[in-house]
Amino acid sequence: MPSEHRLAAVAVDDPVSIEPLFDEVLAALSDEGREVAGFIQREICGGDCQDDIVMEDIETGERLSIMQMLGPASRSCRLDLDALVRVSVRALTRLNRRSRPDLMIVNRFGHAEVEGGGMRPVFEKALGLEIPVLTSVYGDSRSAWSSYVGDLSNVLLPVGSDTVMAWYRGALENLKAR
């Protein structure tokens, strides 16, 4: 699957978890000696079994919580936007260093990105540095994703490591051909 697009999203249907696919892609790229940066979202069952969602730093393994603990009766959105901004700043800082990754994984184009925030600056910075970016988009965010990327990328991949790796190889070939 040759691709002139350096940005791709895996189209995910609820309740499928994208993390196992990203882990598989990371392992394959690591075996090839590729450097991958970014964050993968993980769910962790807390002490009160109220799930915590963390962003795991691909390079260090450090896990940063992005959820507010509002109590078991709360029905409000628990996403901590300040914590998500800190994760975004960390990713941007990494992109500013001299050695650049071969791929940037940004776990999800989700509600924060739909609203114009979240990890959007990371997408934009990586693409500006000509680093391929892989993310995921769930059904409820697909129309916002399409509006956001416009003509920049029409790449919506099915869930599968072969397809993702084919896209990645095509993006690399296109960068080399420039």
Side-chain angles (χ1 to χ4, degrees):
M1 171 190 285
S3 177
E4 70 277 10
H5 298 289
R6 292 183 318 269
L7 172 63
V10 178
V12 184
D13 294 314
D14 290 322
V16 174
S17 173
I18 194 66
E19 292 75 25
L21 171 63
F22 285 158
D23 289 339
E24 194 174 326
V25 168
L26 277 170
L29 292 174
S30 177
D31 288 348
E32 293 179 9
R34 300 280 183 189
E35 183 181 339
V36 181
F39 289 86
I40 296 179
Q41 188 172 298
R42 311 252 185 226
E43 268 189 55
I44 300 171
C45 185
D48 61 359
C49 228
Q50 185 178 22
D51 288 343
D52 188 15
I53 296 178
V54 298
M55 295 291 274
E56 183 178 275
D57 186 318
I58 289 171
E59 294 175 273
T60 67
E62 183 179 1
R63 292 180 168 189
L64 307 163
S65 177
I66 59 167
M67 301 303 282
Q68 304 174 64
M69 294 303 171
L70 300 176
S74 176
R75 297 289 176 234
S76 298
C77 178
R78 295 179 35 234
L79 179 63
D80 183 341
L81 293 175
D82 289 336
L84 191 56
V85 166
R86 287 191 296 276
V87 170
S88 179
V89 167
R90 183 180 285 210
L92 290 168
T93 300
R94 294 257 172 76
L95 287 171
N96 284 326
R97 63 185 180 198
R98 282 187 185 203
S99 98
R100 300 229 164 85
D102 298 304
L103 176 67
M104 172 65 74
I105 293 179
V106 179
N107 193 82
R108 176 176 303 177
F109 184 89
H111 297 295
E113 291 76 20
V114 166
E115 297 291 322
M119 301 294 277
R120 273 192 183 199
V122 178
F123 291 116
E124 294 156 11
K125 177 73 173 183
L127 291 171
L129 294 171
E130 296 193 336
I131 298 167
V133 179
L134 178 64
T135 191
S136 66
V137 62
Y138 284 75
D140 60 343
S141 300
R142 283 196 195 131
S143 64
W145 168 258
S146 294
S147 295
Y148 173 65
V149 298
D151 292 335
L152 178 63
S153 175
N154 60 2
V155 180
L156 273 175
L157 303 171
V159 176
S161 62
D162 290 343
T163 320
V164 170
M165 293 300 290
W167 161 80
Y168 175 71
R169 292 189 200 307
L172 279 185
E173 287 302 314
N174 187 267
L175 285 171
K176 288 179 189 174
R178 289 175 167 216

